[in-house]
Amino acid sequence: MESRNISSDRKICIVGTGGFAREVFCCIIDIFKAKNRSIEDKVCFLDKDEFCTGEKIMGIDVILESTFNSEKYIVVVAIGDPKTRKKVVDNFPKDTCYATLIHPTAVISDWVEIGEGSIITAGVIVTCNIKIGKHAHLNLCTTIGHDCEIGDYFTTAPSANISGICKFGNLVYFGTNTCVKQGVSICDNVTIGMGGVVVKDIKESGIYIGNPLRKLENKV
């Protein structure tokens, strides 16, 4: 499976300038190299006007949010927090075109559906009969087993491991080294902390940590 919407004459606009955005730029470099294409003048970053200093990042131009034109750019939203990412997408023009990036080293079968705007980084393995929603981020070395159904704005930190026949809602985030047992369902708006082990369904939104997993209670 290959990246989508990056063959256009329009420049790829990476939304965000943080650590993950810079990693996404490296991912794009690898994608272009695999296709024997030059990346020169093909990519820029985008930042909010009040934060933009005018300086280049990794040798690449940074454009102002106020200057964005949906007819000139293909967008990839490289912001790790799912809720923030959704707000950013919701604020873009409705006709914005989003790139789906798949690193050349990712192993993804032909029986996988990946929604627009998603980013699949190096070392990811996604097996078969899997559906992943829009604007998902699968970070380094994430694995997803067979017959999983995953909602929009799903996000993994590196080395998350998901067994087969799982079902996740929207805005679900897995920290580094999260492990999920086969057949588990998780509702919308759930965050699993680093090293969390999920062996039962999660039916309440919130933040969960540990092994055994427990929910953090909101402080008044």
Side-chain angles (χ1 to χ4, degrees), residues 14 18-25 77-80 119 121 137-139:
I14 302 172
F20 185 65
R22 287 177 271 124
E23 291 180 341
V24 167
F25 174 57
V77 182
I79 296 172
I119 302 170
T121 62
H137 290 178
L138 304 185
N139 215 320

Side-chain angles (χ1 to χ4, degrees), residues 19-195:
F20 185 65
R22 287 177 271 124
E23 291 180 341
V24 167
F25 174 57
C26 293
C27 180
I28 294 171
I29 290 174
D30 289 344
I31 292 168
F32 273 64
K33 282 182 178 178
K35 295 177 176 293
N36 293 316
R37 293 176 55 196
S38 171
I39 201 168
E40 186 176 2
D41 297 326
K42 295 292 185 181
V43 184
C44 66
F45 290 96
L46 179 147
D47 204 358
K48 290 184 174 295
D49 292 32
E50 60 267 33
F51 300 138
C52 190
T53 64
E55 296 182 1
K56 292 186 176 185
I57 295 177
M58 300 172 74
I60 300 300
D61 290 333
V62 182
I63 67 170
L64 300 174
E65 184 180 45
S66 60
T67 67
F68 176 79
N69 184 334
S70 60
E71 296 180 356
K72 293 182 178 180
Y73 299 101
I74 296 169
V75 170
V76 55
V77 182
I79 296 172
D81 178 68
K83 293 180 180 179
T84 303
R85 187 158 74 248
K86 184 178 186 303
K87 288 179 181 179
V88 169
V89 171
D90 288 346
N91 286 332
F92 269 107
K94 298 300 181 183
D95 63 347
T96 299
C97 180
Y98 295 97
T100 298
L101 303 181
I102 300 174
H103 193 273
T105 64
V107 179
I108 302 173
S109 79
D110 293 335
W111 296 274
V112 174
E113 179 181 337
I114 299 173
E116 70 171 359
S118 294
I119 302 170
I120 314 298
T121 62
V124 169
I125 299 174
V126 185
T127 61
C128 60
N129 304 104
I130 295 164
K131 181 178 180 181
I132 300 172
K134 297 184 292 184
H135 301 285
H137 290 178
L138 304 185
N139 215 320
L140 304 170
C141 300
T142 290
T143 66
I144 302 179
H146 61 89
D147 298 293
C148 286
E149 184 176 341
I150 296 171
D152 298 335
Y153 301 96
F154 177 65
T155 307
T156 66
S159 298
N161 294 288
I162 300 160
S163 302
I165 324 176
C166 290
K167 185 174 183 179
F168 307 146
N170 300 321
L171 299 162
V172 172
Y173 179 95
F174 289 164
T176 299
N177 289 326
T178 297
C179 296
V180 185
K181 182 182 176 182
Q182 179 166 307
V184 164
S185 294
I186 298 177
C187 66
D188 295 344
N189 295 297
V190 167
T191 296
I192 308 297
M194 178 184 295

